Amino acid sequence: MTDDPYLDSFQKLLDATCSPSIVRAIETGGPHDPLWRALDDSGFVDALVPEDFGGAGLKLDDVFPWFVACGSSAMPVPLGFTMYARAALRTAGCDVPGGPITLATGIRDARGGLRCEHVPWGLVSAWALVQNTGDLWLLPTAMAKRERVGTTNGLAANLHWPEDIGIRCPSIQGDLRSVGASVVSAHIAGAMVALLDRSIRYANERQQFGKPIGRFQAIQQQLSAMAEQVFAAHMAAELGCRADLGLNGFTPRPRDAAIAKARCSDAVVRVATTAHAVHGAIGITQDCDVQLLTRRLHEWRIAFGGEMYWHTWLGRDLLAQHTTVAQFVQRSMTAAPSDEVHS
Amino acid sequence: MDGIAPLPLVDVPQADDALRAQIRVFLRERMSALASDTRPRSWLTFDPEFSRALGSRGWLGLTFPKEYGGGGRGAFARYVVAEELLAVGAPVGAHWIADRQSGPQILKHGTEVQKQRYVPRICRGEAYFCIGMSEPGSGSDLAGVRTRAVRTETGWKLNGQKVWTTNAPHCHFMIALVRTSGSPDDRHKGLSQMIVDLSLPGVVVRPILDLNGDAHLSEVFFEDVELSEDALLGAEGSGWEQVLGELAFERAGPERFYSTITLAESWLEWVRERASPSDAEISLIGKLVAHISTLRAMSLSVTALLVRGDSPAIEASLVKDLGTEFEQYVPDAIAALVAADPDLVVPAPLMRMLASVTQIAPSYSLRGGTREILRGVIARGLGLR
């Protein structure tokens, strides 16, 4: 229980509808419609849609803990992305299609088709909201060539629409790569929190040499270092989910998103590696839930750019201004709406 | 998660953030004379004149009550001032410990007489303190201290030795953790905190040169030092609990991730001067931003917990360990980049700064609790053991 009643009921919904066995069933090709219908019927999917447009009018900051909960549950459908897409489409005056909507950035191929790489939930989404340079397109995934890019049971895919098709969505403000980075970062934080929790529990249960392995300093030191990374990622992700109120309530500030994705992606390998080290051989079996989470961490690290992409992005951002590192950091962390002075 | 909840995001209140402008003006004037390669020493550099200048402007004891000469402001005001000072590597060593933890410790546990005697002088930048915790036989295992204060007719008689004390040769007072009853086998029981006037007969202070030739460390000997009754700080026998409370202040502040910021800034300045930075340099700049932003958010969050009256010992340990890991990464990454091209012309002052920071960097995860001890604290907080 938390002191956030929305979060409590959201968590209850996930506990009831998104158990590891349901996640596995969907990952192995089972239908995701029942899960999606349950999520959609709950009304949570319209949380970010402003009240004037028939939604709950919550802000990105408010739903950050939900994204974290989705990450912890190894959510097999793009709930967070659809929440954003509905808010963006409604406010832009576009029709909102039913079914899960994933987000992607894409490039045009030589024949005018559209190509999107490493799209999270690409295999289970009905639609994709795609940004190509300045343009936005809503595209049915049924018309795309879908190629799995994850390992067995992974849901990420390359999507390729050979023809120039889809619905053009004008006047959506904000940058989809930043949105994707922000939402995925919160999912990374969630998966990490769950992995840490599991690893601690396992270390306290698993006995070797006559005592729980969590009593050994070698294990304790590793779990502490893991916890540091998890807390850092959670903090960065929270920074990344602050709405740019100068724009609207559901779009992050690009620099926040950059910091979040850089830091969260940076922590992925260390966190996943330690979780596996603690779990030993059982952790690399299909039956153990650890793989549901570590697989997502590795996938999400890559989605919407990894740490190197965002480090470079941030480095260029800083070099474009005549400022020190410390002042750049202090100014960009201030919660006031973007008042950047490019001196 | 067992024991620790994820840290909530907090922002520096605007009224406190507004302090930056005036401090920056002051620092711009003061810092131009200081050689850039001494800046990473910052809170190890002892400069009483600088401390008094801060005191006279009301920037010391910002969180202390006004009746004792303090600023009567919140923890975030102090955070802003500390951050500005550290960011430019200001020579804050004289007052640093007094302002950060001795003053708060006296205000929390001291008698009215002690508060009146020490706190106003701390606020003026005139009384300098050091911390007497480590001993030759008692480093990480602090409960094993052997320095002993024995009751006399008039107060206490102190015998023993402290070591690795920062800047003791220049300090007026030490708050020492000493044994007032029992033996080292009694561990946490029987320990007390004493305010020791370092000018008293029987106190001998010797500087210890560090591997850079710097003399900020020292050893302090006590031989039959007569202390008055009111040298005792807080309750007799409560030394261990008092020290633990003090450590949260020591571990979560900005000095736990800013130690190498001046190296990063100097390197950045040089990168800017060259026409076209390499991809690796651009990437490192961004990585520094991502890490500092996150650490700063964590450190601010722990500060908010302290303000609320919580004792976030575990969270503070977490911030310190991560922060010092980052501080140690900075010289590592910069050395890799300046050496990526043997023909690159790098200014000698920058290389000197890099060399001295590289050499001293291991100390960041020793002082204020070693990495291994902190990780033990965190493990316990996670519910292991």
Side-chain angles (χ1 to χ4, degrees):
Chain A
M1 287 292 281
T2 67
D3 51 7
D4 178 348
Y6 284 122
L7 179 57
D8 287 339
S9 34
F10 185 75
Q11 187 62 57
K12 260 188 218 147
L13 176 69
L14 293 192
D15 293 344
T17 59
C18 193
S19 66
S21 59
I22 290 170
V23 172
R24 281 192 170 79
I26 291 171
E27 285 181 349
T28 48
H32 56 267
D33 299 2
L35 169 61
W36 186 256
R37 232 175 299 123
L39 295 173
D40 204 3
D41 289 348
S42 72
F44 283 110
V45 194
D46 293 313
L48 286 175
V49 177
E51 283 174 300
D52 293 351
F53 294 87
L58 293 188
K59 295 193 176 47
L60 187 61
D61 316 52
D62 303 322
V63 300
F64 164 72
W66 307 6
F67 295 164
V68 171
C70 286
S72 296
S73 303
M75 177 56 75
V77 288
L79 175 57
F81 281 180
T82 308
M83 284 167 63
Y84 166 82
R86 286 195 182 177
L89 289 168
R90 287 266 175 82
T91 49
C94 302
D95 288 334
V96 172
I101 309 171
T102 191
L103 305 179
T105 57
I107 48 166
R108 289 281 171 203
D109 64 19
R111 280 187 264 161
L114 200 54
R115 200 179 267 286
C116 304
E117 306 293 304
H118 206 93
V119 181
W121 299 288
L123 294 179
V124 286
S125 298
W127 297 85
L129 185 61
V130 180
Q131 181 175 297
N132 164 240
T133 58
D135 294 335
L136 271 165
W137 298 85
L138 187 61
L139 298 152
T141 54
M143 307 278 283
K145 274 203 277 185
R146 297 196 246 192
E147 196 177 1
R148 187 163 56 81
V149 289
T151 177
T152 311
N153 301 339
L155 299 173
N158 289 341
L159 304 179
H160 182 207
W161 290 270
E163 313 278 325
D164 189 355
I165 50 153
I167 307 153
R168 187 156 178 197
C169 315
S171 68
I172 287 182
Q173 290 177 303
D175 174 56
L176 265 201
R177 182 167 286 160
S178 300
V179 174
S182 157
V183 177
V184 168
S185 293
H187 282 69
I188 289 178
M192 287 181 170
V193 168
L195 269 180
L196 178 61
D197 195 29
R198 278 186 164 277
S199 302
I200 292 166
R201 256 186 293 141
Y202 186 76
N204 279 334
E205 283 162 12
R206 169 75 176 165
Q207 305 252 344
Q208 286 291 278
F209 305 101
K211 56 183 177 182
I213 58 170
R215 294 248 177 93
F216 292 96
Q217 286 196 347
I219 301 288
Q220 291 180 356
Q221 297 270 318
Q222 288 199 61
L223 281 172
S224 297
M226 177 185 178
E228 290 169 10
Q229 294 302 317
V230 174
F231 272 73
H234 190 278
M235 190 91 252
E238 197 173 353
L239 266 178
C241 278
R242 299 186 297 176
D244 184 349
L245 296 178
L247 213 55
N248 51 48
F250 49 86
T251 306
R253 299 191 294 187
R255 191 182 292 162
D256 288 346
I259 290 167
K261 192 60 171 51
R263 190 63 187 89
C264 288
S265 289
D266 199 341
V268 158
V269 170
R270 275 185 282 181
V271 169
T273 302
T274 308
H276 278 297
V278 169
H279 278 85
I282 200 80
I284 56 167
T285 61
Q286 190 118 82
D287 282 349
C288 179
D289 292 344
V290 167
Q291 57 93 2
L292 297 178
L293 296 162
T294 54
R295 168 153 49 80
R296 276 169 175 73
L297 282 184
H298 293 302
E299 178 195 314
W300 290 336
R301 173 200 184 188
I302 292 170
F304 291 94
E307 63 273 27
M308 273 181 103
Y309 173 81
W310 290 108
H311 288 156
T312 304
W313 189 99
L314 285 165
R316 287 192 204 290
D317 189 17
L318 185 145
L319 284 171
Q321 300 170 50
H322 294 284
T323 178
T324 62
V325 176
Q327 291 184 16
F328 180 86
V329 165
Q330 288 155 15
R331 206 166 55 212
S332 44
M333 281 176 66
T334 309
S338 41
D339 52 352
E340 198 71 329
V341 185
H342 289 265
S343 51
Chain B
M1 248 178 282
D2 242 325
I4 335 179
L7 297 163
L9 194 60
V10 298
D11 209 29
V12 176
Q14 272 194 350
D16 296 328
D17 214 52
L19 279 168
R20 286 188 203 285
Q22 16 174 337
I23 295 163
R24 281 183 191 170
V25 171
F26 168 81
L27 288 173
R28 237 194 318 272
E29 259 168 45
R30 289 273 168 164
M31 294 300 292
S32 52
L34 203 71
S36 66
D37 54 336
T38 67
R39 292 188 181 186
R41 298 179 76 248
S42 193
W43 57 282
L44 301 177
T45 304
F46 204 91
D47 183 346
E49 201 274 320
F50 185 84
S51 295
R52 283 194 296 269
L54 288 180
S56 70
R57 284 162 180 78
W59 291 332
L60 297 187
L62 266 169
T63 59
F64 305 168
K66 285 187 170 164
E67 50 188 306
Y68 302 108
R73 301 189 59 156
F76 289 105
R78 184 185 177 277
Y79 198 99
V80 164
V81 171
E83 195 171 32
E84 290 300 317
L85 293 169
L86 294 167
V88 297
V92 294
H95 70 266
W96 194 253
I97 304 292
D99 179 72
R100 180 182 73 190
Q101 66 195 96
S102 311
Q105 196 72 346
I106 292 168
L107 284 165
K108 192 171 174 194
H109 301 289
T111 62
E112 188 54 36
V113 172
Q114 287 172 327
K115 290 181 200 176
Q116 297 284 0
R117 184 184 302 156
Y118 300 109
V119 179
R121 292 172 63 195
I122 291 176
C123 296
R124 292 196 300 270
E126 292 171 2
Y128 312 131
F129 281 71
C130 55
I131 308 164
M133 291 196 191
S134 297
E135 295 183 5
S138 166
S140 289
D141 185 10
L142 195 56
V145 299
R146 287 168 186 276
T147 298
R148 180 180 294 273
V150 180
R151 274 202 183 277
T152 63
E153 300 265 303
T154 54
W156 307 87
K157 186 178 282 189
L158 186 65
N159 276 287
Q161 182 190 351
K162 293 289 174 184
V163 73
W164 314 128
T165 316
T166 301
N167 280 328
H170 314 292
C171 283
H172 305 114
F173 305 102
M174 169 192 281
I175 297 187
L177 182 69
V178 305
R179 188 157 288 289
T180 44
S181 67
S183 74
D185 292 339
D186 292 315
R187 309 288 299 158
H188 308 147
K189 281 183 256 166
L191 297 175
S192 305
Q193 282 193 303
M194 293 277 172
I195 305 175
V196 182
D197 182 340
L198 295 176
S199 68
L200 287 173
V203 178
V204 175
V205 182
R206 282 198 210 129
I208 299 172
L209 291 187
D210 78 3
L211 68 196
N212 280 330
D214 253 339
H216 53 93
L217 297 170
S218 48
E219 52 188 344
V220 184
F221 301 88
F222 308 109
E223 195 182 343
D224 292 334
V225 180
E226 298 282 353
L227 300 177
S228 60
E229 182 63 46
D230 68 355
L232 178 69
L233 176 63
E236 186 186 341
S238 300
W240 184 255
E241 292 71 30
Q242 288 174 207
V243 160
L244 288 188
E246 190 177 337
L247 286 174
F249 285 92
E250 189 183 330
R251 285 179 176 163
E255 67 265 46
R256 298 310 182 189
F257 56 95
Y258 270 73
S259 299
T260 53
I261 188 85
T262 50
L263 171 63
E265 303 288 15
S266 298
W267 171 76
L268 170 65
E269 223 170 280
W270 170 70
V271 169
R272 276 188 197 279
E273 282 166 14
R274 287 161 42 236
S276 49
S278 70
D279 289 348
E281 286 169 336
I282 295 169
S283 172
L284 177 59
I285 293 167
K287 184 168 182 174
L288 300 181
V289 168
H291 278 262
I292 297 179
S293 301
T294 307
L295 284 163
R296 184 171 183 267
M298 298 174 85
S299 163
L300 285 170
S301 192
V302 174
T303 302
L305 294 178
L306 285 166
V307 168
R308 222 171 57 182
D310 294 3
S311 322
I314 297 146
E315 291 85 346
S317 302
L318 216 132
V319 173
K320 180 179 180 281
D321 194 29
L322 264 183
T324 53
E325 184 185 311
F326 169 76
E327 291 177 337
Q328 291 167 339
Y329 171 72
V330 171
D332 172 5
I334 289 175
L337 285 186
V338 297
D341 173 4
D343 293 326
L344 203 58
V345 179
V346 187
L350 178 58
M351 290 307 288
R352 279 202 299 276
M353 196 173 182
L354 173 61
S356 64
V357 169
T358 300
Q359 196 73 353
I360 198 69
S363 71
Y364 304 151
S365 54
L366 300 174
R367 62 186 186 191
T370 67
R371 169 158 297 145
E372 291 69 26
I373 289 291
L374 294 177
R375 289 186 177 174
V377 170
I378 297 165
R380 206 165 40 222
L382 293 172
L384 297 163
R385 288 189 178 189

